[in-house]
Amino acid sequence: MPKRIVIVGSTGSIGQQALDVVRRFPDRLAVVGLSTGRSVDLLAQQAREFGPTAVGVADAGLYNQLRSALADTDAQVFAGPDADQIASLPEADLVLVASVGLSGLTPAMNAVRAGKTLAIANKESLVAAGELILAEARRSSSRVVPVDSEHSAIFQCLEGEQPASVHRIILTASGGAFRDKPLEELANVTPDEALMHPTWRMGKKITVDCATLMNKGLEVIEAHRLFGVPVDRIETVLHHQSVIHSMVEFTDGSVKAQMGLPDMRLPIQYALFYPHRATWAPSRLDPAALGCLTFAPLDLGRYPCLSLAYCAARKGGTYPAVLSAADEVAVAAFLEGRLRFSGIPAVVEDALEAHTPEVAVNLDAVARADAWARERAASCVRRLEV
Ligand SMILES: NC(=O)c1ccc[n+]([C@@H]2O[C@H](COP(=O)([O-])OP(=O)(O)OC[C@H]3O[C@@H](n4cnc5c(N)ncnc54)[C@H](OP(=O)(O)O)[C@@H]3O)[C@@H](O)[C@H]2O)c1
């Protein structure tokens, strides 16, 4: 019997690459649910190819368009907040949450509450409410498998190891689009320039987060949540080639690294097939052709967002939710040409400094912090608007 999967955010970069993996394994993977934010044409095309029992669109105003595009199929159509219900479809075994921003939180919670395996690419929900998701997963005995390449690497390095043997985690960072640009030129870089990532092709928000290194900061918090390692034992290192996806150093000084060419289909299919290995390699690494791998310390002066993320992680509570929400608002404003690149850390810092924290005991506390941070960040963007 094939593993029956739901993909939340199937029209995005991760979603489409996941469907590419599914295409290679018609006997072992079956798609039962797909959802999108607004891209109903592409979603309808995907639904025709993969035949899910249900589809969802987050923008409720697009219900009729999606319904009529699939009128001659049996697919059930959900729209608006109801679209998140596809994460708890009774027929699903595994839910891949590949939507962007905090929109991933409700489907991730729905999936674990319903006892599904959660393959999670969406880092923002882990940052804002990872402890709640993992607590719910423990209660329902759901398995949570990371998809982010760094966390997939750590997950693979930790297989067969005792948690107490972990000395530190080392996250590798490509350095993003501006890693070689003189610091004084960074304030005025354009969205188009920020979207030119040197090694990965991804959605817009994460690509800008790579340029500011907020992405690495979110990943530090994500790793802290997923693997229970204290924040101060999660380090970062610049690694231009994006071939070592991350490393774990153990108490005896031994270091394990997971390697592969930068191709997200590798960690995606690892998560879809876990605990087994797939039989198809999306890409194969030739060490001799690579020549050398390079590493260097990250210059925190160049990447204030990374320092802000460490600060939010150490403070805990609702600070990580505020960090992530303020960053979402700032990145959207930058992409719309309303905020300078250097305004992104300024907006996030303003929100963190003004925040009155709460213990992130439940989703309501996270939602309150998220809403407050978005409002605060929006007003800071208006003050800094170009
Ligand atoms: N791309 C990568 O290589 C990569 C690597 C590691 C981690 N991640 C993480 O994976 C997540 C997705 O990244 P991405 O690069 O794939 O982003 P993306 O290309 O922007 O795609 C986001 C997807 O989410 C959909 N979406 C937006 N709001 C939604 C909602 N409320 N309900 C359902 N779907 C919704 C979008 O629909 P529309 O088509 O309508 O916009 C799109 O399908 C992010 O959290 C990112 O940090 C990505």
Side-chain angles (χ1 to χ4, degrees):
M1 171 124 160
K3 198 179 271 188
R4 295 160 302 176
I5 68 170
V6 167
I7 304 177
V8 175
S10 63
T11 54
S13 162
I14 293 286
Q16 293 189 57
Q17 293 180 83
L19 287 173
D20 192 39
V21 171
V22 174
R23 237 176 237 121
R24 323 264 162 176
F25 297 98
D27 302 332
R28 298 190 56 199
L29 299 172
V31 173
V32 294
L34 294 172
S35 74
T36 184
R38 307 195 76 250
S39 304
V40 284
D41 292 341
L42 180 54
L43 182 72
Q45 198 181 310
Q46 293 174 338
R48 290 192 173 283
E49 179 179 354
F50 293 96
T53 55
V55 293
V57 56
D59 184 337
L62 294 168
Y63 172 82
N64 286 337
Q65 199 179 323
L66 184 58
R67 178 65 281 171
S68 55
L70 295 173
D72 59 334
T73 71
D74 296 332
Q76 199 179 352
V77 178
F78 294 99
D82 288 349
D84 291 335
Q85 287 180 29
I86 70 155
S88 47
L89 286 180
E91 58 271 35
D93 301 311
L94 177 148
V95 178
L96 168 61
V97 178
S99 53
V100 64
L102 203 68
S103 68
L105 179 54
T106 306
M109 276 305 230
N110 287 352
V112 289
R113 276 190 186 133
K116 316 291 181 193
T117 295
L118 172 64
I120 185 139
N122 176 271
K123 60 189 76 188
E124 294 88 351
S125 59
L126 282 174
V127 167
E131 282 170 9
L132 302 176
I133 296 171
L134 292 168
E136 195 60 50
R138 280 191 294 275
R139 261 195 292 278
S140 61
S141 304
S142 284
R143 186 180 262 162
V144 178
V145 189
V147 170
D148 215 349
S149 57
E150 292 78 0
H151 304 81
S152 176
I154 298 160
F155 189 88
Q156 294 181 54
C157 291
L158 291 177
E159 282 282 274
E161 303 287 353
Q162 300 296 322
S165 324
V166 176
H167 178 62
R168 65 177 170 148
I169 285 175
I170 306 164
L171 295 170
T172 50
S174 69
F178 304 130
R179 64 191 186 192
D180 302 319
K181 209 169 185 68
L183 209 49
E184 59 280 9
E185 290 175 25
L186 283 184
N188 294 318
V189 293
T190 66
D192 283 347
E193 290 172 302
L195 292 175
M196 310 266 275
H197 194 280
T199 44
W200 296 97
R201 294 288 156 261
M202 307 174 286
K204 288 185 180 177
K205 195 254 174 188
I206 184 175
T207 309
V208 175
D209 280 343
C210 285
T212 61
L213 244 72
M214 179 58 90
N215 183 52
K216 209 49 52 185
L218 297 177
E219 286 175 8
V220 168
I221 303 173
E222 198 184 348
H224 169 60
R225 304 270 199 238
L226 283 167
F227 307 113
V229 172
V231 174
D232 290 317
R233 287 203 274 127
I234 304 175
E235 296 173 18
T236 55
V237 67
L238 195 61
H239 167 50
H240 279 186
Q241 297 82 11
S242 302
V243 163
I244 290 194
H245 297 305
S246 278
M247 303 176 240
V248 179
E249 182 185 344
F250 296 92
T251 42
D252 62 356
S254 178
V255 177
K256 275 194 194 174
Q258 188 266 336
M259 300 170 73
L261 290 176
D263 185 331
M264 280 308 294
R265 293 173 302 176
L266 260 164
I268 291 169
Q269 78 166 356
Y270 182 82
L272 296 185
F273 282 104
Y274 184 80
H276 306 289
R277 288 268 177 198
T279 47
W280 169 67
S283 53
R284 288 200 185 271
L285 181 72
D286 176 359
L290 277 177
C292 64
L293 297 176
T294 55
F295 302 93
L298 274 164
D299 172 4
L300 288 187
R302 189 181 181 81
Y303 297 113
C305 282
L306 181 56
S307 305
L308 290 170
Y310 267 108
C311 176
R314 285 186 191 108
K315 286 181 167 175
T318 42
Y319 278 107
V322 167
L323 172 96
S324 183
D327 177 61
E328 264 192 63
V329 172
V331 171
F334 169 69
L335 286 169
E336 288 161 14
R338 294 190 291 116
L339 184 71
R340 280 185 219 287
F341 185 71
S342 55
I344 299 174
V347 169
V348 175
E349 185 169 17
D350 172 77
L352 288 174
E353 276 181 0
H355 182 53
T356 307
E358 280 188 67
V359 182
V361 276
N362 53 35
L363 289 177
D364 287 345
V366 171
R368 266 194 304 277
D370 177 80
W372 174 86
R374 281 171 202 272
E375 209 168 294
R376 175 85 192 188
S379 84
C380 187
V381 166
R382 283 194 292 277
R383 280 202 310 279
L384 299 176
E385 207 148 0
V386 285

